[in-house]
Amino acid sequence: GTTTLLVPTTTPLGSYRLIACSDDLKVVVEVDESNNCLTSTGTLIVTLTDLVETSVSTTAVTALPGTTFSVADSVVNQGNAPAPASVTQYYLSLDGQRSSGVLLGATRSVPILQPGAISTGTKTVTVPTTIAAGTYYVLACADGPGTIVEADENNCLAAGTTLRVGWPDLVVTSLSAPPAIIAPGKTFSVSHTVLNQGSVTAIASTTRLYLSVDGGRSADDILVTYTFSVPSLGAGATYTTGASVKVPATTPAGI
């Protein structure tokens, strides 16, 4: 008859011949006890799948916590046995190691892969809002949950470029002095410089001018109608601009 056999999970990898032995428990007294076994003519190779990441890339250079970026990766089955469907996970790691990395929520589904087959795809992932600022390696890990028994658990690969995670910080580093005396409704020239002293790029923004009696920003300050458009500024970049602005005609006189 025919039966289905289960190869023990502890079987060392290698090439085997199948041997069938009748009365292997020796319960039957026989004329000849030496002829009970027959060896198969063919061999059975006991092997495992081996999923590895062959490439990981991202075009993102900087990212704010809570924002998204795309990761492209390729998974190959370099083992000698088919790999069942799996899931690729993504991490941000300061030292390039998965064990110390921050798991990103998005995953990529990988179909069944025959030996030598490759699965390539792109996934949009979100930077956790609670992540600390720093320079991170972007990791892709084939069979991220570790549900597949493999010949070698060499599943993770880092992108060739790192990702700087942090926040911009715009400050006004210089502001020209206004005239000592001016009447309501009159104009004067003003210039200012904005610096992004943060660690990542700041999107385009607007600088507004106020007239303040006490020199501190408060709700009773008077907004000057002219505003300055500031372009996107990379980390450490500055932008200087100037224009003529008008003191609102309704501005109360003051010293």
Side-chain angles (χ1 to χ4, degrees):
T2 302
T3 187
T4 300
L5 302 179
L6 176 65
V7 178
T9 58
T10 57
T11 303
L13 305 184
S15 179
Y16 294 85
R17 289 186 181 275
L18 187 64
I19 300 176
C21 294
S22 62
D23 188 31
D24 199 42
L25 297 179
K26 305 298 182 181
V27 296
V28 178
V29 179
E30 302 181 55
V31 173
D32 188 348
E33 294 288 356
S34 65
N35 60 353
N36 289 33
C37 295
L38 180 66
T39 302
S40 66
T41 56
T43 58
L44 171 68
I45 298 176
V46 177
T47 186
L48 292 171
T49 185
D50 187 13
L51 295 177
V52 296
E53 292 282 349
T54 58
S55 67
V56 182
S57 63
T58 177
T59 58
V61 179
T62 62
L64 277 66
T67 61
T68 62
F69 67 96
S70 296
V71 183
D73 74 289
S74 294
V75 177
V76 65
N77 177 11
Q78 67 179 15
N80 295 316
S86 61
V87 171
T88 296
Q89 293 179 329
Y90 305 93
Y91 292 80
L92 291 179
S93 172
L94 288 170
D95 60 4
Q97 301 301 311
R98 176 182 182 177
S99 58
S100 58
V102 177
L103 177 63
L104 305 179
T107 60
R108 184 172 76 85
S109 297
V110 176
I112 295 172
L113 293 180
Q114 297 299 321
I118 299 174
S119 170
T120 298
T122 301
K123 198 69 180 181
T124 298
V125 296
T126 301
V127 181
T129 57
T130 56
I131 197 170
T135 300
Y136 289 84
Y137 294 92
V138 180
L139 304 181
C141 295
D143 184 32
T147 58
I148 300 174
V149 179
E150 301 183 53
D152 190 344
E153 297 293 343
N154 53 345
N155 294 30
C156 296
L157 181 68
T161 58
T162 55
L163 180 72
R164 178 66 182 173
V165 176
W167 295 264
D169 186 11
L170 297 179
V171 295
V172 177
T173 58
S174 68
L175 178 64
S176 60
I181 300 175
I182 195 170
K186 298 299 182 179
T187 61
F188 66 96
S189 295
V190 64
S191 65
H192 83 300
T193 298
V194 175
L195 163 68
N196 178 10
Q197 65 180 13
S199 58
V200 300
T201 299
I203 62 173
S205 61
T206 298
T207 298
R208 300 201 297 185
L209 300 176
Y210 292 85
L211 298 178
S212 173
V213 174
D214 57 9
R217 178 74 174 87
S218 57
D220 60 353
D221 292 343
I222 299 171
L223 176 65
V224 177
T225 54
Y226 188 88
T227 59
F228 295 95
S229 296
V230 178
S232 175
L233 294 177
T238 62
Y239 179 74
T240 300
T241 186
S244 293
V245 298
K246 178 184 287 188
V247 177
T250 56
T251 304
I255 298 177

